[in-house]
Each structure stands twice: as structure tokens, then as C-alpha cells.
Amino acid sequence: MAINTFINGGPNITLFVCILMLITKLPVGLCNAQSVVPALYMLGDSLVDVGNNNYLPLSIAKANFPHNGVDYRDAKFTGRFSNGENAADFIAKKMGLQTSPPYLSLVNGATPPITGVSFASGGSGILNETGQNYVEYISLAHQVDYLSMVHDKLVQQLGPSTAKMHLSKSIFTIVIGSNDLLVYFSPGSSIINISTPQQYIERMLSSYKGLLKTLYGLGARKVVVTGAAAIGCCPVQRKTSRTGECNVETNYWSNKYNDGLKIMLQELKSESVGLNFAYFDLYGAMIDLFRKAQNYGFTNIKEACCGLGNLNADAPCIPTSRYCPNRRDHVFWDLFHPTESAASIFSDFIYNGTQEYMVPINLKQLIDI
């Protein structure tokens, strides 16, 4: 079969890579014949962290203890900020892949699996300083640096042309931005004295564009980008209201950032030959979920399942916290993060949602390009 058939044949690239792995004696066990893409590379924050922060000794943004993971396999706490699986797991499953392992779990320079790696880190943001309150974290810029190292190893493994083909068919998912906004609007934030919300958002977008250009230079051609959440509706923000309502100002600026992000992505696509985006309107999906909670099976949209105090949002989910007996009826697991059930719904939107939430295409359509 001609090489250009593989290049243009969508999922056939996986077969080609599997054959190549047999010939070159690369780790065949990492190749999933049922996958629809060769690899999933995950970047972002705690919404998709699958354990990178476990390997950061000084980080205080960790979830590798109970009650996290209470609904995970064998009730295992893995470093996911969830009662079970998170969006990274669900997205991988939809593509027939195993969850991409944490990059920092690859000890002693081990060869990264050819099916992808996760660089996501709890507390991370677009701006390098966003996670500084958590002492140790992997900023988005640092995640891109790690991806560059994986790129170099792929070139060594597969050769330049096959590595380029592999990356062009792979999916790069980026879930980031909410922490930057939460830091700005946190009580006592000093950033407010340095820049206006609009200036801060413009700085976020400028930094993000530069990092996306770097990703493009490393071979990324199919990118899923998630907008900022309706962060004013997280329990930690709701608790500032006597009635537990969403923080209107915080949500307003989340929306403004998302508007700017969509424009920036359109500009970048026009400047970058072969680059395609699938943008997920997480903000809109969250608001819809709140309005139609019962349709989705939720009865509690305000309170964290695991925590202490007002709306269970006065303390994070730690071993001494209490947690709700039925996680399925809660949207939020802790102060910030969705339950496994809510993450599953958002992942469904990403994979095959309509243009109400996925612009201009969904993940399934992105894969087929």
C-alpha cells in the first residue's frame, strides 16, 4: 500500500504505526488496534491531571489520598481530583485508547508510550505564575517543553517523516485557563492592582497563542481546546453568596475570555496551514447543565460532594472531610472539580456534541479530517 494512502487514510495510520513497531521491535503492547487515532496528548490543569502532581514533592495541589477515587477501580486514589475518572479518561476511551499516563511517571528517561502522554498538572495555568500558590506545578509552557522532548524521542523511534505523520493524526487536547481567572478573582488578589480584567485576559490570550504556535511547530494539527468554565458557579465562588448563587462578575469575565479565545483560534487557524481546532464551550455546557439538572440526573448543583462547611466549600476534599453518599446526583466533587458523572457528560459533548457547544466541529469530526 502506498505511503500516501496511510497519510490520508485517517485511522489507518494506527495500523501503519503498529506494523512499523513490529519491524523496529518497538513496544507493540502499547499499540491499540481498536483506536481511531495513533495517540492522545493531554495538556492542562487539574480537570485532566491523572497523576503528574503526585511526582512533585513540593506541590500542595494533590489528590493522591482519600476520599478522592472512592468510585475509581478498587477505590484507588490516583491523583485525579475526582471521585472516579475524569475527562482525560473518558476522552481516551472514546478513541479506543488507554488513558495517557502522566509524563512524570516515566522514570529514568523511559521511552514514552507511542499512544500518548499526559502533561496536565493541578494548579497550572496559561500564565507561568498562575500556580505559584501551589508551590510546585507544571505550567503550560513547561508542559509544552516536555512535549518537545517527547517529539524528539518520537523522531528517534520512528524517523522524521513517520513521526511527523504520527503527530499530524494524533489528538492534542488542552484544558486550561480557569485557574488563571480564579487567581485573578480570588479574595486579596494583588493582580487586580496591576492590571484590569481586560488587560489580564489579553495577556492570557497572547501567551496562549504563542504556546499554540509552538505546538504547531512540533507537529500538532488536530487540537481540542476547552474554554474557561463558568467558574463563578463553583462551590468556592457560590459560597460568597448568601443564597449560593453564581458569582456574576467572575462569570462575566470567564465569558469575555472565551469570546477572545475563539477569535484567537480563528486567527491562528488562518495563519497555520493544516491546523484544525475543535473548541469546547465548557461555560455554556455548565450553564445548560445547571438549568436542566434533573434531565441529566443531578439534584444538587451548588454544593461540593466532598468538603466541609458552607456548601462543603470551606475546605478541600481531604481525609477528614465528609463526602456525600450518592456522588451521581452532585455536579461538583469538591470546591472546584466536577464529579465523575459530570465529567462524563462534558466528555460526551466534546466527542459528538453539536455546534451549540463544539465549534466549528466536534472531536469525532476532527478525527475524521
Side-chain angles (χ1 to χ4, degrees):
M1 188 177 291
I3 190 68
N4 62 341
T5 303
F6 286 108
I7 294 173
N8 298 314
N12 284 337
I13 181 62
T14 302
L15 176 61
F16 178 57
V17 171
C18 289
I19 293 170
L20 182 71
M21 290 166 79
L22 284 169
I23 295 170
T24 58
K25 298 182 180 180
L26 292 173
V28 181
L30 295 173
C31 187
N32 187 340
Q34 302 302 313
S35 62
V36 295
V37 295
L40 170 62
Y41 296 96
M42 185 69 65
L43 301 94
D45 55 29
S46 54
L47 293 175
V48 286
D49 186 352
V50 292
N52 270 309
N53 280 21
N54 297 350
Y55 300 90
L56 299 175
L58 301 180
S59 172
I60 60 173
K62 289 185 178 179
N64 56 341
F65 47 76
H67 306 287
N68 297 297
V70 64
D71 297 309
Y72 197 78
R73 294 183 292 277
D74 300 321
K76 184 179 181 181
F77 41 89
T78 61
R80 290 164 172 80
F81 294 78
S82 171
N83 58 299
E85 296 183 316
N86 65 22
D89 301 296
F90 292 118
I91 291 171
K93 284 180 184 178
K94 290 178 184 300
M95 296 190 291
L97 293 168
Q98 296 293 316
T99 300
S100 301
Y103 178 77
L104 296 184
S105 69
L106 306 174
V107 297
N108 299 323
T111 300
I114 202 163
T115 49
V117 185
S118 171
F119 308 96
S121 170
S124 178
I126 294 168
L127 302 176
N128 288 340
E129 66 269 23
T130 289
Q132 61 188 4
N133 289 340
Y134 299 108
V135 185
E136 197 174 13
Y137 56 99
I138 314 172
S139 67
L140 184 58
H142 201 171
Q143 292 178 41
V144 173
D145 288 341
Y146 282 148
L147 178 59
S148 178
M149 296 178 192
V150 171
H151 167 274
D152 292 346
K153 285 186 176 291
L154 279 171
V155 171
Q156 292 172 15
Q157 283 179 278
L158 305 177
S161 60
T162 305
K164 181 178 180 181
M165 186 196 326
H166 171 85
L167 291 165
S168 71
K169 295 295 183 181
S170 297
I171 296 296
F172 295 77
T173 299
I174 313 174
V175 180
I176 202 112
S178 295
N179 283 337
D180 299 272
L181 294 165
L182 279 168
V183 165
Y184 185 92
F185 288 103
S186 294
S189 170
S190 60
I191 310 172
I192 295 175
N193 301 322
I194 300 171
S195 61
T196 66
Q198 185 61 44
Q199 290 170 335
Y200 187 72
I201 286 171
E202 288 172 359
R203 184 169 162 238
M204 286 173 62
L205 292 171
S206 176
S207 297
Y208 202 177
K209 187 174 183 179
L211 292 170
L212 287 171
K213 285 182 176 180
T214 302
L215 278 182
Y216 177 78
L218 292 171
R221 294 297 180 268
K222 298 184 178 186
V223 184
V224 178
V225 173
T226 296
I231 57 175
C233 297
C234 295
V236 73
Q237 290 268 318
R238 284 183 182 269
K239 75 172 186 174
T240 61
S241 164
R242 285 183 298 176
T243 57
E245 299 306 309
C246 300
N247 185 311
V248 175
E249 182 185 16
T250 309
N251 274 355
Y252 172 82
W253 288 106
S254 292
N255 227 353
K256 289 287 285 184
Y257 163 76
N258 289 338
D259 289 343
L261 176 58
K262 284 181 281 189
I263 293 171
M264 182 268 279
L265 292 176
Q266 290 172 350
E267 291 174 348
L268 189 55
K269 177 175 168 54
S270 68
E271 299 166 3
S272 310
V273 177
L275 182 62
N276 286 286
F277 288 104
Y279 168 82
F280 175 45
D281 179 13
L282 176 57
Y283 181 101
M286 287 180 67
I287 296 299
D288 183 66
L289 189 151
F290 297 143
R291 290 172 179 166
K292 304 173 185 175
Q294 291 188 343
N295 294 348
Y296 292 107
F298 296 108
T299 58
N300 193 320
I301 64 172
K302 296 182 179 181
E303 190 176 57
C305 171
C306 184
L308 290 169
N310 183 19
L311 298 182
N312 259 0
D314 288 339
C317 184
I318 55 178
T320 55
S321 300
R322 63 172 183 265
Y323 67 94
C324 58
N326 183 6
R327 276 74 69 188
R328 179 63 187 82
D329 61 15
H330 276 62
V331 172
F332 291 100
W333 167 240
D334 60 14
L335 289 75
F336 306 106
H337 306 98
T339 56
E340 179 182 66
S341 297
S344 176
I345 290 169
F346 295 143
S347 301
D348 287 341
F349 287 148
I350 290 173
Y351 190 71
N352 55 20
T354 66
Q355 288 199 353
E356 183 178 9
Y357 303 123
M358 292 301 299
V359 181
I361 55 176
N362 59 38
L363 174 53
K364 188 173 185 298
Q365 293 166 327
L366 182 65
I367 290 168
D368 291 338
I369 290 177

